[in-house]
PDB file of all heavy atoms in Angstrom:
ATOM      1  N   LYS N 166      64.785 -59.813 -14.815  1.00 96.00           N
ATOM      2  CA  LYS N 166      65.118 -58.729 -13.919  1.00 96.00           C
ATOM      3  C   LYS N 166      66.360 -57.983 -14.470  1.00 96.00           C
ATOM      4  O   LYS N 166      67.258 -58.625 -15.013  1.00 96.00           O
ATOM      5  CB  LYS N 166      65.387 -59.274 -12.522  1.00 96.00           C
ATOM      6  CG  LYS N 166      64.190 -59.928 -11.815  1.00 96.00           C
ATOM      7  CD  LYS N 166      64.440 -60.214 -10.413  1.00 96.00           C
ATOM      8  CE  LYS N 166      63.224 -60.934  -9.749  1.00 96.00           C
ATOM      9  NZ  LYS N 166      62.045 -60.006  -9.725  1.00 96.00           N
ATOM     10  N   VAL N 167      66.305 -56.666 -14.331  1.00 98.00           N
ATOM     11  CA  VAL N 167      67.308 -55.861 -14.995  1.00 98.00           C
ATOM     12  C   VAL N 167      67.870 -54.793 -13.960  1.00 98.00           C
ATOM     13  O   VAL N 167      67.168 -54.246 -13.122  1.00 98.00           O
ATOM     14  CB  VAL N 167      66.764 -55.121 -16.213  1.00 98.00           C
ATOM     15  CG1 VAL N 167      65.606 -54.283 -15.878  1.00 98.00           C
ATOM     16  CG2 VAL N 167      67.817 -54.410 -16.965  1.00 98.00           C
ATOM     17  N   ILE N 168      69.180 -54.579 -14.190  1.00 98.00           N
ATOM     18  CA  ILE N 168      69.858 -53.482 -13.432  1.00 98.00           C
ATOM     19  C   ILE N 168      70.363 -52.492 -14.446  1.00 98.00           C
ATOM     20  O   ILE N 168      71.083 -52.839 -15.360  1.00 98.00           O
ATOM     21  CB  ILE N 168      71.032 -54.017 -12.579  1.00 98.00           C
ATOM     22  CG1 ILE N 168      70.634 -55.041 -11.625  1.00 98.00           C
ATOM     23  CG2 ILE N 168      71.732 -52.862 -11.894  1.00 98.00           C
ATOM     24  CD1 ILE N 168      71.787 -55.835 -10.914  1.00 98.00           C
ATOM     25  N   GLY N 169      69.864 -51.250 -14.355  1.00 98.00           N
ATOM     26  CA  GLY N 169      70.290 -50.235 -15.272  1.00 98.00           C
ATOM     27  C   GLY N 169      71.232 -49.229 -14.731  1.00 98.00           C
ATOM     28  O   GLY N 169      70.964 -48.739 -13.709  1.00 98.00           O
ATOM     29  N   ALA N 170      72.306 -48.952 -15.439  1.00 98.00           N
ATOM     30  CA  ALA N 170      73.324 -48.029 -14.965  1.00 98.00           C
ATOM     31  C   ALA N 170      73.535 -46.931 -16.002  1.00 98.00           C
ATOM     32  O   ALA N 170      73.590 -47.154 -17.208  1.00 98.00           O
ATOM     33  CB  ALA N 170      74.675 -48.732 -14.738  1.00 98.00           C
ATOM     34  N   ASP N 171      73.573 -45.677 -15.507  1.00 97.00           N
ATOM     35  CA  ASP N 171      73.877 -44.600 -16.445  1.00 97.00           C
ATOM     36  C   ASP N 171      74.519 -43.464 -15.617  1.00 97.00           C
ATOM     37  O   ASP N 171      74.475 -43.369 -14.457  1.00 97.00           O
ATOM     38  CB  ASP N 171      72.578 -44.036 -17.044  1.00 97.00           C
ATOM     39  CG  ASP N 171      72.791 -43.409 -18.425  1.00 97.00           C
ATOM     40  OD1 ASP N 171      73.205 -42.226 -18.403  1.00 97.00           O
ATOM     41  OD2 ASP N 171      72.616 -44.056 -19.413  1.00 97.00           O
ATOM     42  N   ILE N 172      75.179 -42.534 -16.420  1.00 96.00           N
ATOM     43  CA  ILE N 172      75.885 -41.424 -15.786  1.00 96.00           C
ATOM     44  C   ILE N 172      74.969 -40.215 -15.652  1.00 96.00           C
ATOM     45  O   ILE N 172      75.333 -39.216 -15.059  1.00 96.00           O
ATOM     46  CB  ILE N 172      77.135 -41.057 -16.568  1.00 96.00           C
ATOM     47  CG1 ILE N 172      76.826 -40.504 -18.017  1.00 96.00           C
ATOM     48  CG2 ILE N 172      78.117 -42.163 -16.690  1.00 96.00           C
ATOM     49  CD1 ILE N 172      77.956 -39.804 -18.710  1.00 96.00           C
ATOM     50  N   SER N 173      73.780 -40.233 -16.276  1.00 96.00           N
ATOM     51  CA  SER N 173      72.931 -39.058 -16.392  1.00 96.00           C
ATOM     52  C   SER N 173      71.722 -39.169 -15.459  1.00 96.00           C
ATOM     53  O   SER N 173      70.794 -40.008 -15.657  1.00 96.00           O
ATOM     54  CB  SER N 173      72.462 -38.890 -17.847  1.00 96.00           C
ATOM     55  OG  SER N 173      71.354 -37.965 -17.914  1.00 96.00           O
ATOM     56  N   PRO N 174      71.627 -38.254 -14.429  1.00 96.00           N
ATOM     57  CA  PRO N 174      70.405 -38.266 -13.584  1.00 96.00           C
ATOM     58  C   PRO N 174      69.145 -37.992 -14.469  1.00 96.00           C
ATOM     59  O   PRO N 174      68.046 -38.555 -14.060  1.00 96.00           O
ATOM     60  CB  PRO N 174      70.681 -37.125 -12.650  1.00 96.00           C
ATOM     61  CG  PRO N 174      72.173 -36.973 -12.601  1.00 96.00           C
ATOM     62  CD  PRO N 174      72.638 -37.311 -14.034  1.00 96.00           C
ATOM     63  N   GLY N 175      69.235 -37.153 -15.439  1.00 96.00           N
ATOM     64  CA  GLY N 175      68.002 -36.807 -16.236  1.00 96.00           C
ATOM     65  C   GLY N 175      67.536 -38.051 -17.016  1.00 96.00           C
ATOM     66  O   GLY N 175      66.316 -38.323 -16.993  1.00 96.00           O
ATOM     67  N   LEU N 176      68.476 -38.809 -17.644  1.00 97.00           N
ATOM     68  CA  LEU N 176      67.993 -39.987 -18.409  1.00 97.00           C
ATOM     69  C   LEU N 176      67.463 -41.059 -17.424  1.00 97.00           C
ATOM     70  O   LEU N 176      66.496 -41.732 -17.696  1.00 97.00           O
ATOM     71  CB  LEU N 176      69.182 -40.538 -19.196  1.00 97.00           C
ATOM     72  CG  LEU N 176      69.663 -39.697 -20.342  1.00 97.00           C
ATOM     73  CD1 LEU N 176      70.803 -40.339 -21.050  1.00 97.00           C
ATOM     74  CD2 LEU N 176      68.557 -39.351 -21.287  1.00 97.00           C
ATOM     75  N   LEU N 177      68.117 -41.200 -16.238  1.00 97.00           N
ATOM     76  CA  LEU N 177      67.636 -42.176 -15.293  1.00 97.00           C
ATOM     77  C   LEU N 177      66.288 -41.794 -14.718  1.00 97.00           C
ATOM     78  O   LEU N 177      65.426 -42.679 -14.482  1.00 97.00           O
ATOM     79  CB  LEU N 177      68.651 -42.247 -14.084  1.00 97.00           C
ATOM     80  CG  LEU N 177      69.914 -42.977 -14.382  1.00 97.00           C
ATOM     81  CD1 LEU N 177      70.862 -42.802 -13.158  1.00 97.00           C
ATOM     82  CD2 LEU N 177      69.667 -44.501 -14.654  1.00 97.00           C
ATOM     83  N   ALA N 178      65.873 -40.551 -14.579  1.00 97.00           N
ATOM     84  CA  ALA N 178      64.607 -40.132 -14.191  1.00 97.00           C
ATOM     85  C   ALA N 178      63.572 -40.619 -15.245  1.00 97.00           C
ATOM     86  O   ALA N 178      62.452 -41.054 -14.860  1.00 97.00           O
ATOM     87  CB  ALA N 178      64.493 -38.604 -14.004  1.00 97.00           C
ATOM     88  N   CYS N 179      63.946 -40.472 -16.547  1.00 97.00           N
ATOM     89  CA  CYS N 179      63.006 -40.978 -17.591  1.00 97.00           C
ATOM     90  C   CYS N 179      62.846 -42.467 -17.496  1.00 97.00           C
ATOM     91  O   CYS N 179      61.753 -43.015 -17.680  1.00 97.00           O
ATOM     92  CB  CYS N 179      63.562 -40.617 -18.961  1.00 97.00           C
ATOM     93  SG  CYS N 179      63.687 -38.847 -19.222  1.00 97.00           S
ATOM     94  N   ALA N 180      63.931 -43.199 -17.171  1.00 97.00           N
ATOM     95  CA  ALA N 180      63.887 -44.645 -17.057  1.00 97.00           C
ATOM     96  C   ALA N 180      62.952 -45.037 -15.875  1.00 97.00           C
ATOM     97  O   ALA N 180      62.087 -45.973 -16.015  1.00 97.00           O
ATOM     98  CB  ALA N 180      65.248 -45.246 -16.879  1.00 97.00           C
ATOM     99  N   ARG N 181      63.108 -44.376 -14.784  1.00 97.00           N
ATOM    100  CA  ARG N 181      62.253 -44.660 -13.613  1.00 97.00           C
ATOM    101  C   ARG N 181      60.780 -44.295 -13.891  1.00 97.00           C
ATOM    102  O   ARG N 181      59.890 -44.922 -13.289  1.00 97.00           O
ATOM    103  CB  ARG N 181      62.811 -43.872 -12.413  1.00 97.00           C
ATOM    104  CG  ARG N 181      64.126 -44.354 -11.916  1.00 97.00           C
ATOM    105  CD  ARG N 181      64.551 -43.714 -10.653  1.00 97.00           C
ATOM    106  NE  ARG N 181      65.843 -44.193 -10.201  1.00 97.00           N
ATOM    107  CZ  ARG N 181      66.980 -43.496 -10.249  1.00 97.00           C
ATOM    108  NH1 ARG N 181      66.915 -42.294 -10.724  1.00 97.00           N
ATOM    109  NH2 ARG N 181      68.153 -44.016  -9.873  1.00 97.00           N
ATOM    110  N   ASP N 182      60.527 -43.298 -14.760  1.00 97.00           N
ATOM    111  CA  ASP N 182      59.163 -42.931 -15.077  1.00 97.00           C
ATOM    112  C   ASP N 182      58.412 -44.042 -15.853  1.00 97.00           C
ATOM    113  O   ASP N 182      57.205 -44.091 -15.915  1.00 97.00           O
ATOM    114  CB  ASP N 182      59.156 -41.676 -15.993  1.00 97.00           C
ATOM    115  CG  ASP N 182      59.382 -40.417 -15.181  1.00 97.00           C
ATOM    116  OD1 ASP N 182      59.284 -40.474 -13.921  1.00 97.00           O
ATOM    117  OD2 ASP N 182      59.691 -39.376 -15.822  1.00 97.00           O
ATOM    118  N   ARG N 183      59.181 -45.050 -16.365  1.00 96.00           N
ATOM    119  CA  ARG N 183      58.485 -46.191 -17.014  1.00 96.00           C
ATOM    120  C   ARG N 183      57.799 -47.103 -15.990  1.00 96.00           C
ATOM    121  O   ARG N 183      57.031 -47.928 -16.368  1.00 96.00           O
ATOM    122  CB  ARG N 183      59.529 -47.050 -17.784  1.00 96.00           C
ATOM    123  CG  ARG N 183      60.111 -46.270 -19.010  1.00 96.00           C
ATOM    124  CD  ARG N 183      61.069 -47.130 -19.726  1.00 96.00           C
ATOM    125  NE  ARG N 183      61.713 -46.452 -20.840  1.00 96.00           N
ATOM    126  CZ  ARG N 183      61.258 -46.465 -22.127  1.00 96.00           C
ATOM    127  NH1 ARG N 183      60.104 -47.195 -22.392  1.00 96.00           N
ATOM    128  NH2 ARG N 183      61.897 -45.808 -23.067  1.00 96.00           N
ATOM    129  N   GLN N 184      58.163 -46.922 -14.675  1.00 95.00           N
ATOM    130  CA  GLN N 184      57.493 -47.683 -13.613  1.00 95.00           C
ATOM    131  C   GLN N 184      57.530 -49.170 -13.894  1.00 95.00           C
ATOM    132  O   GLN N 184      56.427 -49.830 -14.024  1.00 95.00           O
ATOM    133  CB  GLN N 184      56.023 -47.189 -13.428  1.00 95.00           C
ATOM    134  CG  GLN N 184      56.050 -45.701 -12.994  1.00 95.00           C
ATOM    135  CD  GLN N 184      54.615 -45.194 -12.734  1.00 95.00           C
ATOM    136  OE1 GLN N 184      53.637 -45.778 -13.143  1.00 95.00           O
ATOM    137  NE2 GLN N 184      54.554 -43.995 -12.115  1.00 95.00           N
ATOM    138  N   LEU N 185      58.698 -49.733 -14.050  1.00 96.00           N
ATOM    139  CA  LEU N 185      58.874 -51.141 -14.276  1.00 96.00           C
ATOM    140  C   LEU N 185      58.777 -52.032 -13.049  1.00 96.00           C
ATOM    141  O   LEU N 185      58.962 -53.208 -13.119  1.00 96.00           O
ATOM    142  CB  LEU N 185      60.227 -51.360 -15.031  1.00 96.00           C
ATOM    143  CG  LEU N 185      60.326 -50.656 -16.392  1.00 96.00           C
ATOM    144  CD1 LEU N 185      61.745 -50.855 -16.924  1.00 96.00           C
ATOM    145  CD2 LEU N 185      59.281 -51.085 -17.300  1.00 96.00           C
ATOM    146  N   GLY N 186      58.559 -51.396 -11.898  1.00 95.00           N
ATOM    147  CA  GLY N 186      58.359 -52.190 -10.682  1.00 95.00           C
ATOM    148  C   GLY N 186      59.653 -52.719 -10.107  1.00 95.00           C
ATOM    149  O   GLY N 186      60.759 -52.286 -10.370  1.00 95.00           O
ATOM    150  N   ASP N 187      59.405 -53.835  -9.329  1.00 95.00           N
ATOM    151  CA  ASP N 187      60.519 -54.470  -8.642  1.00 95.00           C
ATOM    152  C   ASP N 187      61.525 -55.222  -9.557  1.00 95.00           C
ATOM    153  O   ASP N 187      62.562 -55.649  -9.135  1.00 95.00           O
ATOM    154  CB  ASP N 187      60.002 -55.438  -7.550  1.00 95.00           C
ATOM    155  CG  ASP N 187      59.264 -54.673  -6.450  1.00 95.00           C
ATOM    156  OD1 ASP N 187      59.520 -53.492  -6.220  1.00 95.00           O
ATOM    157  OD2 ASP N 187      58.462 -55.332  -5.755  1.00 95.00           O
ATOM    158  N   ASP N 188      61.107 -55.361 -10.809  1.00 96.00           N
ATOM    159  CA  ASP N 188      61.934 -56.097 -11.769  1.00 96.00           C
ATOM    160  C   ASP N 188      63.059 -55.281 -12.350  1.00 96.00           C
ATOM    161  O   ASP N 188      63.901 -55.742 -13.089  1.00 96.00           O
ATOM    162  CB  ASP N 188      61.083 -56.613 -12.912  1.00 96.00           C
ATOM    163  CG  ASP N 188      60.176 -57.783 -12.485  1.00 96.00           C
ATOM    164  OD1 ASP N 188      60.546 -58.476 -11.551  1.00 96.00           O
ATOM    165  OD2 ASP N 188      59.094 -57.910 -13.056  1.00 96.00           O
ATOM    166  N   ALA N 189      63.075 -53.953 -12.031  1.00 97.00           N
ATOM    167  CA  ALA N 189      64.136 -53.070 -12.584  1.00 97.00           C
ATOM    168  C   ALA N 189      64.695 -52.153 -11.494  1.00 97.00           C
ATOM    169  O   ALA N 189      63.917 -51.570 -10.774  1.00 97.00           O
ATOM    170  CB  ALA N 189      63.521 -52.210 -13.711  1.00 97.00           C
ATOM    171  N   LEU N 190      65.978 -52.132 -11.445  1.00 97.00           N
ATOM    172  CA  LEU N 190      66.666 -51.250 -10.482  1.00 97.00           C
ATOM    173  C   LEU N 190      67.641 -50.374 -11.264  1.00 97.00           C
ATOM    174  O   LEU N 190      68.449 -50.864 -12.077  1.00 97.00           O
ATOM    175  CB  LEU N 190      67.477 -52.070  -9.402  1.00 97.00           C
ATOM    176  CG  LEU N 190      68.434 -51.271  -8.509  1.00 97.00           C
ATOM    177  CD1 LEU N 190      67.628 -50.361  -7.558  1.00 97.00           C
ATOM    178  CD2 LEU N 190      69.329 -52.238  -7.772  1.00 97.00           C
ATOM    179  N   PHE N 191      67.517 -49.068 -11.133  1.00 98.00           N
ATOM    180  CA  PHE N 191      68.359 -48.126 -11.841  1.00 98.00           C
ATOM    181  C   PHE N 191      69.215 -47.347 -10.884  1.00 98.00           C
ATOM    182  O   PHE N 191      68.804 -46.980  -9.806  1.00 98.00           O
ATOM    183  CB  PHE N 191      67.495 -47.082 -12.617  1.00 98.00           C
ATOM    184  CG  PHE N 191      66.617 -47.732 -13.660  1.00 98.00           C
ATOM    185  CD1 PHE N 191      65.216 -47.860 -13.455  1.00 98.00           C
ATOM    186  CD2 PHE N 191      67.117 -48.174 -14.844  1.00 98.00           C
ATOM    187  CE1 PHE N 191      64.397 -48.458 -14.391  1.00 98.00           C
ATOM    188  CE2 PHE N 191      66.304 -48.775 -15.845  1.00 98.00           C
ATOM    189  CZ  PHE N 191      64.950 -48.947 -15.544  1.00 98.00           C
ATOM    190  N   PHE N 192      70.474 -47.134 -11.277  1.00 96.00           N
ATOM    191  CA  PHE N 192      71.445 -46.447 -10.383  1.00 96.00           C
ATOM    192  C   PHE N 192      72.368 -45.555 -11.226  1.00 96.00           C
ATOM    193  O   PHE N 192      72.681 -45.803 -12.398  1.00 96.00           O
ATOM    194  CB  PHE N 192      72.220 -47.412  -9.505  1.00 96.00           C
ATOM    195  CG  PHE N 192      73.193 -48.325 -10.171  1.00 96.00           C
ATOM    196  CD1 PHE N 192      74.479 -47.850 -10.409  1.00 96.00           C
ATOM    197  CD2 PHE N 192      72.870 -49.548 -10.560  1.00 96.00           C
ATOM    198  CE1 PHE N 192      75.406 -48.669 -11.042  1.00 96.00           C
ATOM    199  CE2 PHE N 192      73.722 -50.363 -11.250  1.00 96.00           C
ATOM    200  CZ  PHE N 192      75.028 -49.941 -11.474  1.00 96.00           C
ATOM    201  N   LEU N 193      72.743 -44.443 -10.583  1.00 96.00           N
ATOM    202  CA  LEU N 193      73.731 -43.528 -11.152  1.00 96.00           C
ATOM    203  C   LEU N 193      75.096 -43.997 -10.837  1.00 96.00           C
ATOM    204  O   LEU N 193      75.403 -44.360  -9.708  1.00 96.00           O
ATOM    205  CB  LEU N 193      73.492 -42.117 -10.580  1.00 96.00           C
ATOM    206  CG  LEU N 193      74.314 -40.982 -11.146  1.00 96.00           C
ATOM    207  CD1 LEU N 193      73.921 -40.603 -12.477  1.00 96.00           C
ATOM    208  CD2 LEU N 193      74.167 -39.772 -10.184  1.00 96.00           C
ATOM    209  N   PHE N 194      76.016 -43.976 -11.820  1.00 94.00           N
ATOM    210  CA  PHE N 194      77.412 -44.373 -11.535  1.00 94.00           C
ATOM    211  C   PHE N 194      78.372 -43.342 -12.190  1.00 94.00           C
ATOM    212  O   PHE N 194      77.941 -42.473 -12.940  1.00 94.00           O
ATOM    213  CB  PHE N 194      77.698 -45.784 -11.960  1.00 94.00           C
ATOM    214  CG  PHE N 194      78.072 -45.987 -13.370  1.00 94.00           C
ATOM    215  CD1 PHE N 194      79.335 -46.531 -13.696  1.00 94.00           C
ATOM    216  CD2 PHE N 194      77.210 -45.718 -14.431  1.00 94.00           C
ATOM    217  CE1 PHE N 194      79.734 -46.672 -15.029  1.00 94.00           C
ATOM    218  CE2 PHE N 194      77.606 -45.934 -15.716  1.00 94.00           C
ATOM    219  CZ  PHE N 194      78.853 -46.456 -16.034  1.00 94.00           C
ATOM    220  N   ASP N 195      79.606 -43.406 -11.788  1.00 89.00           N
ATOM    221  CA  ASP N 195      80.580 -42.395 -12.095  1.00 89.00           C
ATOM    222  C   ASP N 195      81.183 -42.628 -13.457  1.00 89.00           C
ATOM    223  O   ASP N 195      82.096 -41.839 -13.918  1.00 89.00           O
ATOM    224  CB  ASP N 195      81.670 -42.256 -11.027  1.00 89.00           C
ATOM    225  CG  ASP N 195      82.459 -43.548 -10.868  1.00 89.00           C
ATOM    226  OD1 ASP N 195      82.272 -44.486 -11.658  1.00 89.00           O
ATOM    227  OD2 ASP N 195      83.282 -43.568  -9.917  1.00 89.00           O
ATOM    228  N   GLY N 196      80.811 -43.593 -14.240  1.00 88.00           N
ATOM    229  CA  GLY N 196      81.448 -43.849 -15.571  1.00 88.00           C
ATOM    230  C   GLY N 196      82.715 -44.625 -15.422  1.00 88.00           C
ATOM    231  O   GLY N 196      83.392 -44.849 -16.506  1.00 88.00           O
TER     232      GLY N 196
END
């Protein structure tokens, strides 16, 4: 299970497009 953090909404949208299901949670953070 993975938690992904990034400062870019655009890159995070690409990560979510991978549709990794409940095993991956992605969130935007302030750096």
Side-chain angles (χ1 to χ4, degrees):
K166 295 187 181 297
V167 60
I168 302 169
D171 207 279
I172 65 167
S173 165
L176 294 181
L177 285 171
C179 296
R181 293 187 180 107
D182 284 345
R183 292 180 183 270
Q184 298 183 345
L185 299 177
D187 294 337
D188 290 330
L190 171 68
F191 297 105
F192 68 88
L193 184 71
F194 86 117
D195 62 6

